[in-house]
Each structure stands twice: as structure tokens, then as C-alpha cells.
């Protein structure tokens, strides 16, 4: 009996071991793309946040939409119960081409609230490059994939005498209304047309989206509606408040394929995009190719160790870092320039093989990108950085200014300052130089003076006053209030002053590298303007009015009112170029460390974010916080301990932030506020890798600070076209949930006792080994002489 029990128990144990082995074996065989979870934070998405059927930076970002109207709380919304359409464009201030297959009595003319369909997440699959969902009201299984510029649909219909695919050009999509449309039948397998998406408060001019549609099987009839009523249509329907549809009969499990190609230039270019990118009808092949493309991008970084959830979250965040900012040029390299009074078609220069040398992009501001994209893209995807810089310089050629957030070929003047200056400078300093540096320097310099980007506050289209650059140059700060009149958004003198000072530092370093001594001295002096806002009596940054007096009453937790999407308590730390100088203003390293640590202790009680209240009074109360990791102004704060001789606090608080803000793979949470076109996803990646760059890589010799990696092994595969090394490895020993303090370190087999490393050392390739433990080793990396460089230490 006892032997029998032992035999049975042994068998159970062996089965369990075998099962666990098979699970681990399966996980080890998973590709990077299999680890991505598109549903993270999908309940809280902005219109352009959610992605599934798209390629990296793809012009087409095809996905279901549950809420159509509004910039915020729209697009794919996990907790909503009705799919209104599948639309092809989800970009910053860009949207267009909503479609939906239906069966039964046609209801398209009644609007999306009537024709939308229920669905279940149980029947849904969302992966990079693919989305599958069942429209329950119509018994249709919809599958979506794409190339860069072509959406590809596969619909499996039930038996029906009335099956339809509708194109609704009456709806709002995101922040844009639909002004008018033309839809034309070319044959019983082809449609083409154009849609004018209206101007928005952020994108000042209308934008035309051109489209070509092809079906693999002929439809029987072509129809349309206008102003909510079906009207007789022969071959074309045009005008405001119109939509179009095709009808056909289907048998059970009848599969219909549809391609939708787009262009912002012309129907001819949309057709060329289709012919060059998707000449065949093999849907599964496109899904497989999309997986392959994503896998190549994601495999630039290998991670080992950590939990499966941590690895899934890492590759989900990395996936987001490669999206949001969208291609707007065609396969041929044509693009639309809307910087002048009328749209103009432009051509990107071609290489010797006849292909465009780079892409044109649509992008929200690079506000905060110095703490995210500057590091990740430059280090892991330098070719992406280079392409974006050439796109920015192309717009400088077209419109006379380097933009800080181009949309639809328009200047939007989103946010404030010259946010692209650190992006360009950082790239150049790291050896990413496949662009015209003479042109780049001239354009950046222009942005730092009256008439440039520093003249304009957010969305200031018709004047150049709200940036306050004249005050900044004359008095050393931008006053608040600048004037009785508000010329745009974010007319916040405190934040503008600190941002300008940092951006001026970046310009000083660029001038130094190019041998422009006078400019180096000029911008170096301006980079010290941050000191003009430090109020020694209160020990925080504070506001000055036009007369040079401190603004009264003092309230360092008051949101905005001088501080851009933040407050004085948060912006006090915004001196990324001269942390040593800020330490001096605060009376030394101990005072600095204690003040910053107290801010984090207070922030712990609210999870390091400012909440998501909808009620204005609650929102006002929740925003009275010292640290907010749901937005960009606080990104650098935990890394400042590396500068003040307390790197163990950097290690501690970065791990707390990961666990509290950027953990898990739930649809209900993920980024604590606004993921913002890859910025917060990138930050999460860097936190888990254990590297960061407080000054955004803008010093003449860029460097990275070290924190506490989550994984036991991280391999960065370096691009050989840009860097001499093959790979750089970060390895941790004795790393765990509570073992996150660095005890000692070795770089390429030699003792390493500083919490930072030069970029030039890293890209030579090698290995950094970190011995971890449960208690802080306060002697490692804490020598003041070994602190990361600052402007004051140059």
C-alpha cells in the first residue's frame, strides 16, 4: 500500500515536472511578438493610443472603434459594449476611412449608434499586425491586418440575402469631423474617392485623405446616402454628410476580402501604395509578414529572467515605443505640404535604388522625449531617429521652421519651446549624422529666437507673442502672467523658462561641437536662466511677474497657472542639464536628497500619479501632488539621486514606480494617465532595463545613468551601421523582488564604481555586471567626484 502510494505520488510529481517543463519550453520558444499584449490600458485609451493591425509607424493603423467623437476617451475602449466601425487612421489629429460589414436591413444611413454591433472579448484576438473580432449582431467574423499604407480585411459572413460593407463619411472620428467626401464606383470590384477631414483646434487646416478600395469578389449593387436618407446613386456620390455602401448575397461562411489603400496626396498615389505593397490576396501571408516585421524590431533587445508578466509588459511597452508617430508619405516618397496658403505636393529625395531616403511623419510634440525617445531610439533604433530628423528638416525646408509637432503637413505649435532641439542634438552627439547638420543648426538656432518656436505658446497660430522669448532674452525668465491676453495654450512662464534653459544648453553643446564659440558662450549663459526662478526663501522654483517680483500668494502645488501640465513642486527638479547647480541652490547634496526623497514619500500615498477624476473639483484636488508619473514633467526625478550621492534611492524609487505605475498587463490600467505616442511606454522600457539619461544625451559626451534592472540579463543588439560594438549586455546577479539594490558592479571584467556610463563606452560593446542585494550599499557610486556630469562641473 505504501509502495503504491509512493509510486502514485512519484507519478504525479513527474507529471507536474513534465508539465512545467513543457510550459517553460513553450515560453522559451515564444517569439518576442507573442509576448505583446495590445490590451494593456485599453480601457483608458486616447483616440490614437490603441493599436493592433498596423506596422511600426504605419500610415494605416486599422482597429475597431467603440467611441468616435473626441480626442480623449475615444477610439478603442475596452469597457464599451458596441463596435461602431473599423477605421484606418489613428494618428495625432489624424483620422479617416471608417468601414463596417453588416447583414440584414441596411441601417448605415441611421448612423453608428444604430448600425454598430455588440461583441465579446471572448471572441477577440488582438496581436501586433492582426485583429479578430465577431460582430455578434450580424454574425460576421472580422479579421484585420495591414501593410504600411494598406488596410486588409477578411470578413466571414453568414448566409444572407442582404450583406453589406458601408463607408460612413458623416461621422466624427477622434478630434476631427468629416467635412465632405466623394466615393466613386470604378467597377463591381473597385471603389475610389477622397474625404476631407475638417480642421481641429490643434491642426489648423483641413486634410484630404484619398482612398482606393478593392474587393476579391464582385458586389451586386453600389449605393449611398445623404443627410440620413438613402438616395439614388449611379456611380458616384459626393458632398457633405454622405456615405456609401456595397451590397451582395452571401452563403454560409462566405469569405470576402477587401483592401483599402490610403494617401494624403492623390488617388493615384493611394493606388500605387496598394499595387506596390499589396499586389496579392493572401491575407495570412500579410499577417505572417507583419509578425516578422514586428519581431525584427522587438528582437533588438533580448531580456531573460523576471516573470512572464514582466517580460510581456516589457515587450508591450517596447511595441508602443514604435507607434503613435505615423508615416504620412507615400511609397513613392510623395507627401503633402500644408505649411503655406494651399496644399503642395512634395517629393522626398530618392536613393540610388529609387526609394525614398526617409519617411515624412505625423507627430505630437517631442515634449518629454528627451527622457525617453532620445535614449531608446538613439541606442536601439538609430535609423529611426535619423529618419525622423530628416523629416523635421524637410518641413523646415517647406515652411521655414523646424516643427515641434507636425500634423497633416501643418504646423500645430503643440506644447511649448524648441522641443526638437534636444532630439537632434542628442543624435548628433551619439554619431547619428545622416542629415544636413548645417541646415539643422540654422533651423534649431532660428527656433531659439524671436520668430522661431520659442516665440509661440501652444497652438498659437496667428501671432508669435505667447512664447515670451523677448522677456527671456532680456530679463532671463518668462514672466507669469505674460499679459492679460492668452495667445494660446500653456502660456506658463515658469515652465517655459526652465524648458528654454535646458534647450539652450543643448544648443550650447551643439555650438561647441561645431566650433561656434560665440554661440557656445551665448547659449551657455542663457542655460543658466533657471537660477532666476529659484526662490531661496521657500526653497522651490517659483514664478516672477513682469516687474520681477515673486508672484503672490505662493502655492507650489497649484496645477498649471505658470506650470505646464504640472506645478512648481514638480518643475523645481526640471534642470536636467545642471543638476549639480540645482543641488547648490538647495544648500547642498543632503538638503537636495532629503527634499526629493520627501516628495517621493508623499507621492507614494497616491500611487505616484495624479488620479483620473472626471469631476473638475476632484481633478483639481488630485493634481495637488509633488510627483506625477502619469505625465512627462516628472520623468527624470528618481534619477537625480545619482547626482546627489544617493544612488541607492534611485534604485529604490525606480523599482517602486515600476511596481505601482507600470506593472501588469491589465486592460484597466497601465500608464497612469496618458501613454502619449510611445513616450511613457519608452520610459517603462528604460526603467526595466536600468538605464536613463537625465540630460537627454545632449552633452558633448553623452552618458547614461544606471538604476535597478528588473531582468537578470538584457542584451542590446547594436546597429552596425552606426556603432562599432555588436551588443551590450547588462547582467544582474541575485536579482529579485526585494533584491534590487546594487552592491557592486563590473564593466568588462573590471570594477565599476560610478552610477553612469558614457555612450561611447557602451556602444563599443561589452558587459556590465551588477551584483544585487536586499539592503543598500551606500558606498557604491556615492562618491561626489563620481557623480554624473552637469553643466556646472564642465
Amino acid at each position: 500500500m505504501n509502495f503504491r502510494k509512493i509510486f502514485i505520488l512519484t507519478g504525479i510529481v513527474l507529471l507536474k515536472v513534465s508539465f512545467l517543463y513543457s510550459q517553460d519550453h513553450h515560453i522559451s520558444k515564444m517569439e518576442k511578438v507573442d509576448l505583446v499584449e495590445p490590451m494593456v490600458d485599453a480601457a483608458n485609451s486616447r483616440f490614437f493610443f490603441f493599436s493592433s493591425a498596423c506596422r511600426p509607424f504605419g500610415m494605416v493603423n486599422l482597429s475597431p472603434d467603440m467611441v468616435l467623437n473626441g480626442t480623449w476617451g475615444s477610439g478603442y475602449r475596452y469597457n464599451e459594449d458596441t463596435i461602431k466601425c473599423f477605421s484606418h487612421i489613428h494618428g495625432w489629429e489624424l483620422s479617416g476611412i471608417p468601414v463596417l460589414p453588416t447583414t440584414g436591413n441596411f441601417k448605415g444611413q441611421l448612423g453608428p449608434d444604430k448600425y454598430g454591433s455588440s461583441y465579446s472579448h471572448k471572441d477577440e484576438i488582438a496581436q501586433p499586425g492582426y485583429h479578430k473580432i465577431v460582430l455578434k449582431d450580424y454574425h460576421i467574423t472580422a479579421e484585420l491586418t495591414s501593410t504600411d499604407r494598406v488596410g486588409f480585411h477578411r470578413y466571414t459572413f453568414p448566409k444572407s440575402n442582404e450583406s453589406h460593407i458601408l463607408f460612413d463619411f458623416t461621422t466624427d472620428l477622434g478630434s476631427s469631423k468629416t467635412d465632405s467626401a466623394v466615393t466613386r464606383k470604378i467597377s463591381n470590384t473597385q471603389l475610389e474617392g477622397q474625404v476631407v477631414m475638417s480642421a481641429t483646434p490643434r491642426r489648423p487646416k483641413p486634410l484630404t485623405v484619398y482612398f482606393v478600395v478593392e474587393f476579391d469578389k464582385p458586389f451586386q449593387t453600389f449605393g449611398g446616402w445623404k443627410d440620413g436618407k438613402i438616395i439614388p446613386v449611379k456611380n458616384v456620390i459626393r458632398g457633405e454628410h454622405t456615405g456609401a455602401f456595397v451590397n451582395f448575397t452571401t452563403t454560409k461562411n462566405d469569405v470576402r476580402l477587401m483592401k483599402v489603400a490610403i494617401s494624403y496626396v492623390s488617388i493615384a498615389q493611394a493606388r500605387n501604395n496598394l499595387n506596390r505593397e499589396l499586389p496579392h490576396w493572401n491575407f495570412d501571408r500579410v499577417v505572417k509578414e507583419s509578425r516578422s516585421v514586428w519581431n525584427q524590431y522587438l528582437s533588438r533587445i533580448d531580456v531573460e529572467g523576471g516573470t512572464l508578466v514582466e517580460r510581456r509588459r516589457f515587450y508591450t511597452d517596447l511595441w508602443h515605443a514604435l507607434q503613435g508617430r505615423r508615416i504620412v508619405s507615400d511609397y513613392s516618397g510623395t507627401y503633402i505640404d500644408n505649411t503655406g496658403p494651399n496644399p503642395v505636393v512634395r517629393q522626398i529625395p530618392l536613393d540610388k535604388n529609387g526609394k525614398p531616403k526617409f519617411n515624412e511623419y505625423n507627430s505630437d510634440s517631442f515634449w518629454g522625449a528627451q527622457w525617453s525617445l532620445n535614449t531608446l531610439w538613439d541606442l536601439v533604433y538609430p535609423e529611426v531617429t535619423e529618419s525622423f530628423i530628416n523629416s523635421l528638416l524637410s518641413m523646415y525646408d517647406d515652411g521655414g521652421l523646424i516643427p515641434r509637432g507636425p500634423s497633416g503637413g501643418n504646423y500645430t505649435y503643440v506644447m511649448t519651446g524648441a522641443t526638437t532641439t534636444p532630439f537632434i542634438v542628442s543624435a548628433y552627439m551619439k554619431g547619428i549624422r545622416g542629415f544636413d547638420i548645417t541646415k539643422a543648426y540654422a533651423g534649431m538656432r532660428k527656433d531659439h529666437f524671436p520668430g522661431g518656436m520659442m516665440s509661440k505658446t501652444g497652438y498659437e497660430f496667428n501671432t508669435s507673442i505667447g512664447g515670451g522669448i523677448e522677456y527671456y532674452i532680456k530679463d532671463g525668465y518668462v514672466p507669469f502672467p505674460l499679459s492679460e491676453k492668452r495667445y494660446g495654450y500653456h502660456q506658463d512662464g515658469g515652465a517655459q523658462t526652465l524648458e528654454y534653459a535646458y534647450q539652450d544648453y543643448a544648443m550650447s553643446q551643439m555650438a561647441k561641437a561645431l566650433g561656434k564659440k560665440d554661440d557656445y558662450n551665448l547659449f551657455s549663459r542663457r542655460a543658466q536662466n533657471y537660477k532666476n526662478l529659484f526662490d531661496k526663501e521657500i526653497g522651490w522654483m517659483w514664478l516672477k511677474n513682469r516687474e520681477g517680483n515673486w508672484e503672490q500668494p505662493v502655492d507650489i502645488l497649484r496645477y498649471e497657472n505658470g506650470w505646464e501640465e504640472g506645478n512648481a513642486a514638480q518643475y523645481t527638479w526640471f534642470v536636467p542639464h545642471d543638476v549639480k547647480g540645482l543641488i547648490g541652490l538647495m544648500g547642498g547634496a543632503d538638503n537636495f536628497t532629503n527634499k526629493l526623497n520627501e516628495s517621493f514619500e508623499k507621492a507614494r500615498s497616491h500611487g505616484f500619479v495624479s488620479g483620473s477624476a472626471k469631476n473638475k473639483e476632484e481633478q483639481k484636488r488630485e493634481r495637488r501632488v509633488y510627483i506625477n508619473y502619469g505625465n512627462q514633467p516628472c520623468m527624470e526625478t528618481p534619477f537625480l539621486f545619482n547626482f546627489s550621492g544617493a544612488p541607492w534611492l534611485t534604485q529604490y524609487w525606480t523599482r517602486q514606480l515600476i511596481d505601482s505605475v507600470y506593472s501588469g498587463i491589465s486592460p484597466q490600467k497601465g500608464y497612469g494617465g496618458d501613454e502619449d505616442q510611445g513616450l511613457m511606454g519608452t520610459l517603462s522600457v528604460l526603467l526595466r532595463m536600468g538605464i536613463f539619461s537625465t540630460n537627454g544625451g545632449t552633452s558633448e559626451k553623452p552618458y547614461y545613468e544606471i538604476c535597478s534592472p528588473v531582468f537578470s540579463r538584457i542584451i542590446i543588439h547594436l546597429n552596425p551601421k552606426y556603432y562599432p560594438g555588436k551588443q551590450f549586455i547588462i547582467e544582474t546577479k541575485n536579482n529579485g523582488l526585494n533584491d534590487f539594490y546594487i552592491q557592486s558592479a563590473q564593466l568588462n571584467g573590471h570594477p565599476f564604481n560610478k552610477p553612469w556610463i558614457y555612450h561611447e563606452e557602451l556602444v563599443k560593446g561589452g558587459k556590465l555586471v551588477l551584483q544585487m542585494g536586499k539592503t543598500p550599499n551606500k558606498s557604491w557610486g556615492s562618491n561626489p567626484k563620481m557623480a554624473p556630469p552637469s553643466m556646472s562641473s564642465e
Side-chain angles (χ1 to χ4, degrees):
M1 186 73 171
N2 288 338
F3 284 109
R4 187 164 178 256
K5 283 183 178 179
I6 291 169
F7 179 77
I8 292 171
L9 288 171
T10 302
I12 292 171
V13 169
L14 287 171
L15 282 171
K16 286 184 176 179
V17 169
S18 175
F19 173 71
L20 290 171
Y21 170 79
S22 67
Q23 272 199 321
D24 287 342
H25 185 68
H26 170 69
I27 291 168
S28 68
K29 292 295 184 182
M30 290 176 74
E31 294 185 296
K32 304 294 188 294
V33 70
D34 297 314
L35 295 169
V36 174
E37 179 45 78
M39 293 299 175
V40 169
D41 214 12
N44 308 300
S45 56
R46 231 204 291 192
F47 180 75
F48 58 61
F49 167 72
F50 184 82
S51 293
S52 52
C54 69
R55 299 277 177 97
F57 308 108
M59 179 187 286
V60 165
N61 181 9
L62 176 58
S63 60
D65 293 321
M66 289 77 164
V67 179
L68 302 184
N69 184 20
T71 300
W72 297 90
S74 58
Y76 186 98
R77 300 283 289 177
Y78 189 87
N79 294 336
E80 298 291 330
D81 60 9
T82 304
I83 291 175
K84 304 293 179 62
C85 67
F86 306 131
S87 68
H88 290 74
I89 304 170
H90 295 83
W92 187 67
E93 299 301 302
L94 297 183
S95 56
I97 320 298
V99 307
L100 196 74
T102 67
T103 57
N105 293 329
F106 184 74
K107 297 180 287 186
Q109 77 280 11
L110 304 178
D113 289 340
K114 297 295 184 182
Y115 65 66
S117 174
S118 61
Y119 70 100
S120 171
H121 292 301
K122 294 178 181 178
D123 303 320
E124 185 175 23
I125 298 172
Q127 301 169 343
Y130 177 73
H131 203 123
K132 178 181 179 180
I133 198 158
V134 175
L135 302 176
K136 294 174 71 174
D137 293 7
Y138 303 118
H139 307 288
I140 295 171
T141 298
E143 296 172 273
L144 313 171
T145 189
S146 72
T147 64
D148 286 333
R149 299 169 180 86
V150 186
F152 201 5
H153 304 242
R154 181 163 69 185
Y155 301 144
T156 303
F157 284 87
K159 182 178 180 180
S160 174
N161 291 326
E162 296 184 83
S163 293
H164 329 275
I165 299 174
L166 65 86
F167 301 78
D168 189 349
F169 300 129
T170 69
T171 66
D172 291 1
L173 279 177
S175 57
S176 186
K177 297 180 182 297
T178 306
D179 280 352
S180 63
V182 177
T183 310
R184 182 178 295 104
K185 173 187 171 184
I186 303 303
S187 70
N188 61 359
T189 58
Q190 291 187 55
L191 306 177
E192 67 179 29
Q194 60 198 68
V195 186
V196 179
M197 304 306 294
S198 65
T200 75
R202 296 173 177 85
R203 173 174 50 77
K205 298 174 185 176
L207 180 68
T208 301
V209 182
Y210 300 89
F211 64 91
V212 170
V213 183
E214 288 190 357
F215 305 91
D216 72 322
K217 296 177 182 178
F219 53 81
Q220 292 164 334
T221 60
F222 171 72
W225 73 90
K226 182 176 175 61
D227 296 323
K229 295 180 180 179
I230 295 177
I231 60 173
V233 173
K234 188 176 181 183
N235 290 322
V236 64
I237 182 167
R238 68 178 74 236
E240 299 177 1
H241 312 300
T242 61
F245 58 94
V246 295
N247 298 322
F248 42 89
T249 59
T250 51
T251 57
K252 184 179 180 181
N253 294 328
D254 193 349
V255 175
R256 297 265 172 160
L257 299 176
M258 177 176 72
K259 306 174 188 176
V260 181
I262 64 170
S263 168
Y264 298 107
V265 170
S266 67
I267 290 173
Q269 287 297 331
R271 182 170 288 108
N272 186 60
N273 291 339
L274 189 151
N275 292 337
R276 300 304 296 264
E277 293 187 358
L278 191 51
H280 61 83
W281 289 98
N282 190 332
F283 185 91
D284 292 328
R285 172 181 160 186
V286 176
V287 173
K288 185 177 180 181
E289 289 170 348
S290 289
R291 281 178 54 85
S292 177
V293 169
W294 276 116
N295 214 49
Q296 289 172 29
Y297 272 86
L298 297 173
S299 296
R300 298 275 187 98
I301 306 176
D302 289 324
V303 298
E304 299 172 13
T307 66
L308 177 58
V309 169
E310 287 171 336
R311 294 195 297 277
R312 293 192 70 189
R313 180 56 193 263
F314 177 84
Y315 285 107
T316 299
D317 292 332
L318 186 58
W319 178 66
H320 276 296
L322 300 166
Q323 300 195 78
R325 298 158 200 271
R326 300 283 168 195
I327 295 169
V328 291
S329 51
D330 294 312
Y331 184 93
S332 65
T334 54
Y335 67 95
I336 203 73
D337 167 18
N338 263 318
T339 61
N342 298 301
V344 177
V345 176
R346 306 282 189 190
Q347 173 68 55
I348 296 169
L350 304 179
D351 63 19
K352 61 183 180 181
N353 297 314
K355 293 186 177 181
K357 290 183 176 181
F358 54 89
N359 293 311
E360 286 290 318
Y361 295 96
N362 192 87
S363 174
D364 199 345
S365 176
F366 283 76
W367 187 74
Q370 71 269 14
W371 294 322
S372 52
L373 303 184
N374 281 25
T375 296
L376 182 69
W377 284 6
D378 290 3
L379 187 57
V380 186
Y381 307 102
E383 75 282 6
V384 169
T385 295
E386 194 167 88
S387 185
F388 267 82
I389 291 173
N390 278 300
S391 175
L392 296 170
L393 297 183
S394 176
M395 197 165 186
Y396 173 58
D397 285 337
D398 296 340
L401 291 173
I402 296 177
R404 60 185 182 221
S407 182
N410 288 224
Y411 286 111
T412 65
Y413 308 110
V414 56
M415 306 310 285
T416 55
T419 54
T420 48
T421 292
F423 182 72
I424 297 170
V425 171
S426 174
Y428 185 86
M429 296 304 186
K430 294 168 186 169
I432 304 169
R433 299 181 178 180
F435 57 92
D436 186 338
I437 186 56
T438 302
K439 180 193 298 183
Y441 187 84
M444 288 188 291
R445 194 181 193 282
K446 184 177 181 181
D447 274 349
H448 286 242
F449 286 93
M453 282 293 163
M454 284 185 178
S455 285
K456 290 178 176 288
T457 192
Y459 313 118
E460 184 180 352
F461 302 119
N462 301 315
T463 55
S464 296
I465 300 172
I469 185 62
E470 291 86 356
Y471 283 97
Y472 176 83
I473 292 171
K474 178 171 67 77
D475 300 326
Y477 68 94
V478 180
F480 181 83
L482 178 70
S483 67
E484 299 304 316
K485 181 178 180 180
R486 293 192 68 83
Y487 296 94
Y489 292 76
H490 306 305
Q491 197 168 298
D492 297 308
Q496 288 169 305
T497 300
L498 298 176
E499 289 175 4
Y500 294 1
Y502 163 61
Q503 292 157 8
D504 279 342
Y505 170 77
M507 276 301 293
S508 77
Q509 298 298 286
M510 190 76 260
K512 184 180 181 182
L514 296 178
K516 298 178 182 294
K517 186 176 180 180
D518 290 345
D519 274 4
Y520 168 70
N521 292 331
L522 168 69
F523 289 113
S524 293
R525 286 194 299 271
R526 283 173 46 165
Q528 297 187 58
N529 282 345
Y530 73 90
K531 297 175 181 178
N532 297 326
L533 290 191
F534 189 80
D535 186 340
K536 291 185 178 180
E537 288 191 17
I538 65 171
W540 300 89
M541 295 289 179
W542 191 237
L543 305 166
K544 281 184 178 177
N545 60 27
R546 292 190 297 272
E547 290 72 39
N549 300 317
W550 296 113
E551 184 73 7
Q552 298 295 331
V554 173
D555 182 356
I556 63 168
L557 295 181
R558 183 180 65 182
Y559 184 75
E560 292 195 328
N561 294 282
W563 309 101
E564 192 173 353
E565 297 186 2
N567 58 33
Q570 295 164 20
Y571 268 95
T572 289
W573 312 104
F574 198 114
V575 190
H577 58 295
D578 196 16
V579 183
K580 183 178 180 180
L582 181 60
I583 291 170
L585 289 177
M586 289 188 175
D590 289 345
N591 288 347
F592 179 95
T593 298
N594 291 337
K595 184 188 285 282
L596 183 55
N597 196 51
E598 286 172 9
S599 295
F600 271 99
E601 291 288 1
K602 290 172 181 175
R604 192 201 299 269
S605 65
H606 52 80
F608 307 103
V609 296
S610 64
S612 56
K614 301 295 185 288
N615 177 281
K616 284 191 175 181
E617 285 304 311
E618 279 185 54
Q619 197 176 71
K620 186 177 178 181
R621 188 166 55 252
E622 287 185 354
R623 284 173 168 171
R624 296 181 59 81
V625 297
Y626 286 84
I627 299 288
N628 174 21
Y629 243 71
N631 206 348
Q632 285 91 302
C634 286
M635 278 178 156
E636 87 289 8
T637 46
F639 297 92
L640 303 184
F641 295 110
N642 277 336
F643 293 79
S644 66
W648 64 90
L649 289 174
T650 290
Q651 297 151 32
Y652 176 77
W653 288 116
T654 53
R655 281 295 189 98
Q656 306 311 303
L657 287 167
I658 291 170
D659 292 344
S660 182
V661 185
Y662 305 119
S663 62
I665 52 174
S666 167
Q668 306 304 327
K669 67 183 288 279
Y671 295 102
D674 178 15
E675 199 279 332
D676 218 355
Q677 289 199 313
L679 295 186
M680 306 313 273
T682 298
L683 175 64
S684 181
V685 167
L686 297 175
L687 288 168
R688 283 179 164 80
M689 291 174 66
I691 59 172
F692 190 78
S693 180
T694 293
N695 77 5
T698 54
S699 49
E700 193 175 22
K701 288 187 67 175
Y703 58 89
Y704 305 104
E705 295 109 79
I706 298 166
C707 60
S708 180
V710 168
F711 304 106
S712 60
R713 189 176 173 89
I714 301 154
I715 305 173
I716 304 167
H717 299 283
L718 301 168
N719 188 327
K721 292 182 180 179
Y722 296 84
Y723 301 130
K726 183 179 180 181
Q727 59 186 27
F728 187 81
I729 300 170
I730 302 171
E731 190 174 286
T732 63
K733 296 183 181 297
N734 193 41
N735 196 355
L737 184 62
N738 299 309
D739 298 279
F740 49 74
Y741 290 110
I742 298 173
Q743 305 299 301
S744 63
Q746 285 191 336
L747 179 63
N748 298 327
H750 300 287
F752 191 75
N753 195 35
K754 61 181 186 179
W756 59 279
I757 180 174
Y758 278 121
H759 169 81
E760 65 180 12
E761 287 184 279
L762 192 153
V763 298
K764 289 176 183 175
K767 182 189 287 189
L768 176 66
V769 179
L770 304 174
Q771 184 70 41
M772 314 300 285
K774 282 187 170 60
T775 58
N777 177 5
K778 296 186 179 182
S779 65
W780 184 85
S782 59
N783 186 335
K785 294 180 180 179
M786 304 297 282
S790 287
M791 183 177 72
S792 290
S793 59
E794 289 179 1

